[in-house]
Every structure is written in structure tokens, then in C-alpha cells.
Amino acid sequence: MAILVLAEHDNVSLKSDTAKVVSAATAIGGDIHLLVAGADCGAAVTAAQALAGVSKVLVADSAEYGAQLAENLSKLVVELAADYEHILAAASSIGKDTLPRVAALLDVAQISEVIDVVSSDTFVRPIYAGNALATVQSLDAKKVMTVRSSAFDAVASTGSAETVNLSQVITARTEFVSQALTESARPELGNAGIIVSGGRGMGSGENFAILEQLADKLGAAVGASRAAVDAGFVPNDLQVGQTGKIVAPDLYIAVGISGAIQHLAGMKDSKVIVAINKDPEAPIFQVADYGLVADLFEAVPALNNLV
Amino acid sequence: MKVLVPVKRVVDANVKVRVKADNTNVDTTNLKMALNPFCEIAVEEAVRLKEAGIATEVVVVSVGAKVVQEQLRTAMALGADRAIHIETDEDLVPLSIAKLLKAVQEKEQAQLIIFGKQSIDGDNNQTGQMLAALTDMPQATFASEVKLDGEKVTVTREIDGGLQTLSMPLPAIVTVDLRLNEPRYASLPNIMKAKRKPLDTLAVADLGVSLKAHQTVLKVTPPVDRKAGIMVSSVEELVEKLKNEAKVI
């Protein structure tokens, strides 16, 4: 039977998470349909049509879906669910908000943060902040799951799926009030090939400027540990870890980060990890491919000059 | 207004768990257990609502073996008024827990239900959303600010890319993020007082909920260990390694 993937988008651009979730759907095998629910989301639909492996794009374009609220989005997905055996979304803030509602309405368990597809009913997911991997077999008729996008490669944009316009308009009692997004010219954390992250050792928000300079030179995104976020150095959405973003870039440079379990959960699948810390006993050195014991205020500017 | 706070007993956040040799589960014997950090934040928020004169009663509820009463007592020492323990030795999926909580909510009729956004053991991030679906309540997940105004709750949420504010009619469900508040410590007098606060124990059967098996955990394995890296002695050496050995810059 077919697979329904909830597209991740902001009404204008389709997020790369979607191409990665489609990749997970391809691993399950079956006809893949993409649901784009939003308001004036034509550009996202066009991008969705191009994803390789997608045969149909279902479009629910209405002001009611503009903010992508879980309350009505979940009901829309449930109305479509009869035709699908698998329902997938990225383990993003929208996917995590919406899919458990879908699962509960369908009376099935949800499998969260899938990192590997073993078969059409068996999946691998991390538990205990990534310190164990559970292989879970679903006994439910429908499999509802969120996919950790950092664990899958994006599919190419070589397809040409047909579109089907949906007529369902479901209203929510939840009211969208406002949104404040962090503006940045740097790549998104989830997509970046290189991430430069700072922790408590940065000392202040102003000091993050040296990391930003390095990031700009490397074309990298800037991340942070919880300590740096809690201290108000940088906004919350830069947090990497068990409860923040889970990333797996080619290169992760951890600066002034001790390496608590919760932080490692968010970045230990990076291909190459570099740690710069003045404490030689910091746990981050146990996962770092290259460690440098040094004062970051000397090492980071020196690094900036050399790259 | 009554506030209901579901809480969970988990392995302490600072403990690094190990997978059992037979790969059936993680080994939790003799590990330090605690109230899930997100649940602590949920309790704190409910208690602050009571202190602000908005909530009249804070009820905590937990599903699990008899030992979860320790965490219910902790929640009461932090300021909850009473506790409900749904006793079961089975390891339930979030959907089953949400069904049990729905039965509790039908009796309690709380106006606001505050959850932690996820437990740090299962890392599911599902139960609050599922209860919201089962009770057809509006939800605001990953809250970093909660404001009550008459029959409405306005919540600022942490989303990918920034913050979002939603407003919902009560009754509603809120799941909390780390940034919402700084939980207090329980004082010794409050710990003593909590021992005398009411704690009701219910069996799953008492709630008239039928639960079914949804999944089987085939195995639990340790993640692949990273190879030990090398220590470099200078920034020059680091750049040289990244360029020529790892070839990532």
C-alpha cells in the first residue's frame, strides 16, 4: 500500500527535511504521496512535485492551514489515512507536534525519530539520549512515524509528480498570534555541512562573534550547547542536543563545550568532530576526532586566520 | 481552576545508561531515578499558577509500578496538592498512557493539563499530543511561556527557527520546554508535609480502559562507538589535519 509523507515547508520553500523523509519512505518501499498543507503554498508544491520517488502531491491550500497547527492538520491527515499504510513526517517541530495526534486518532502507536528502516514494519530509533538503539516492530495496521532527517540522504529533485487538490478545509480553535524567527544569512543547522558550536566557555553573547566569523569563513552554521542558550548568549533555536536540534554535518567544531550526555545526543553522528577546550578532562574529547587543549580566545582567531 | 500534571519516573539525567548484555533493554537496576526534568518544569509551572491565584488545585498523576509514588511525593513536595497513581508493572507505549490519562481527566475535569514535552528515557515526545487528540483539546507543545487570561491560554512555543505564539480556549493541553522556568528545590519541611498529602492508587482495571499491544521491541543495542581520536598540539596542526587527513575544509 501507499505511503503518505507530510511535507515540511514554510508556504514558500520546501525544507530539505522533506527530501530526506521521502528517502526513508523509499527505503520502506511503495507508492509515495506527499501532502502539502498550507496557505498560498504554490512554490512549495512545485518543489514537492520534483522530488524523486514521489508519484502524487496532495495539496491542501487554505488560510486555515497557514500556520500548520497540529489541531486541524492532524484531522486532515486522518481523513486521508484510509488509503495509506505508512504516514511519515520529519521529526521537526511541526512533525513532532502533529503526528502523535494523527496516531492517537487512528488508535495506533507512533514510532518517533526513526533512524533506520529494517523492513516495512520494523524500524530503529534511539532512546536514552542516543545511548541505546531500539529495534521496534510495529503491530499496528498503520505505521505512523517521525523520521530523523539527519539519518537519511535527501532524494534528488528529478521527478515530476502530478498534483491533486484537496477540498477539505478544517478549522482549528487554536489561534495563531505571531511568530518571531531568528534571521540569519548562514545555512540552517539541519542542512549545514559544517557547524561551529559554542558553549558556556564562550563567556558571553558578544564573544560568539569570533565563532560567527569562523562560521562565515567556512560557510558553516552556528550552533550552541544548552548552557550557552540558557545563559542568553544565543537564541534557543540554535541549541544542539537531545532536546534541541539533532545534526550530523561533515564537520562539527565544538568550542568551549564540555560534552554533556544531552549535547552529545545531538551531534555524535557528525562525520568529523573537533573539540577546542581548555580542560583536557572534558568529556567532549572522548568523541572528538581531533582535540585541541587551548584557550578558545586564542585558538579560534588563529583558526580563523588559517582557514 | 484545576491543573493536572502527568509526571514520569526516569533514570536520572546525569546517568549514562548501558545496554544489557542480552540486548533486551537498557540496564536500569540500581541506577539513580528521578522525576523527568521536563515533568519537573511542568509541576513548577502549575505551582506558580497556583501561587499567582489562577489555579486552585494542582493534581499530579503518574502511571507505573509502586515506586513511582516516590516521584509523586517529590511533585507534592514541590507544591502539588494531591496525587493519583495508576499502578501497572507493564511498560506502556505513550498511546496507552494517554488513554489512561484520558480516563483520569474525565473524572478530574481539569481546565489545563501541563506535560513535559518528552521523557528523557523513551524520548518519544508524544503523550501530551496524544491526550489532546483523544480528548479533542487544543494543544500548544514546547512552551517557553504560558499566560492565562480568563478562559484563554496564550503560549509561546519554541519552534525550528524561532518562537511562535498561539492562543487557545480552555480546556487545553500544554507541553513544556526547558526554557519555561527554573524548578525550585523541595525544602525539608515541604518534603515532610508532602508525606501527608493525599495519594490515591488506582488499578488500570479501575479506569475501564482496554489497552492493547502496539509494538514489540525486538532488541536494544548500544550505538556504534566512535573511534578514539587524536589530540593535536597546535591550531596549525589542526588545520593541516582537517585539510589533508579528514579533507573536510
Side-chain angles (χ1 to χ4, degrees), chain A residues 269-281:
Chain A
D269 292 324
S270 304
K271 290 195 184 71
V272 175
I273 297 174
V274 170
I276 300 174
N277 203 303
K278 65 180 177 195
D279 174 13
E281 304 297 322

Side-chain angles (χ1 to χ4, degrees), chain A residues 59-208:
Chain A
V59 183
D61 198 330
S62 156
E64 298 292 342
Y65 304 123
Q68 303 189 53
L69 301 168
E71 193 190 334
N72 56 342
L73 197 51
S74 59
K75 288 179 181 167
L76 174 68
V77 174
V78 170
E79 285 200 11
L80 304 170
D83 297 333
Y84 300 97
E85 190 178 349
H86 294 83
I87 299 172
L88 277 62
S92 62
S93 49
I94 292 172
K96 289 194 278 199
D97 194 32
T98 308
L99 242 54
R101 265 191 105 111
V102 171
L105 293 173
L106 295 171
D107 195 26
V108 303
Q110 181 191 290
I111 303 177
S112 296
E113 306 257 0
V114 167
I115 56 165
D116 196 14
V117 175
V118 178
S119 71
S120 67
D121 68 355
T122 305
F123 309 93
V124 180
R125 62 174 304 262
I127 53 175
Y128 289 90
N131 286 306
L133 303 177
T135 303
V136 180
Q137 182 171 34
S138 169
L139 308 174
D140 290 316
K142 290 188 193 301
K143 283 81 178 160
V144 175
M145 64 185 91
T146 58
V147 173
R148 180 172 289 183
S149 35
S150 65
F152 294 88
D153 293 325
V155 296
S157 288
T158 52
S160 54
E162 58 166 321
T163 61
V164 177
N165 287 310
L166 301 175
S167 57
Q168 291 98 328
V169 175
I170 303 165
T171 53
R173 291 155 294 177
T174 310
E175 193 188 319
F176 172 84
V177 179
S178 64
Q179 198 151 284
L181 299 181
T182 308
E183 303 214 359
S184 169
R186 295 187 191 93
E188 267 185 80
L189 268 177
N191 293 335
I194 302 178
I195 295 173
V196 181
S197 267
R200 198 194 305 272
M202 296 306 298
S204 75
E206 290 74 47
N207 291 341
F208 259 76

Side-chain angles (χ1 to χ4, degrees), chain A residues 96-97 101 107 110 112 128 133 135 137 139-140 173 175 178 180 182 239 242 268 270 289-291, chain B residues 99 121 123-124 126 129 136-137 139 141 161 163 165 167 179 214 216 218-219 221 226 230 232 245:
Chain A
K96 289 194 278 199
D97 194 32
R101 265 191 105 111
D107 195 26
Q110 181 191 290
S112 296
Y128 289 90
L133 303 177
T135 303
Q137 182 171 34
L139 308 174
D140 290 316
R173 291 155 294 177
E175 193 188 319
S178 64
T182 308
Q239 187 185 333
Q242 183 183 18
K268 67 181 178 182
S270 304
D289 299 277
Y290 301 105
Chain B
K99 286 179 179 174
D121 52 359
D123 281 336
N124 285 301
Q126 298 175 4
Q129 295 91 311
D136 194 29
M137 282 189 206
Q139 74 184 36
T141 49
L163 297 170
T165 304
S167 172
R179 242 72 59 183
H214 290 277
T216 314
L218 300 179
K219 62 177 176 179
T221 51
R226 289 188 74 94
I230 58 161
V232 295
E245 197 175 274

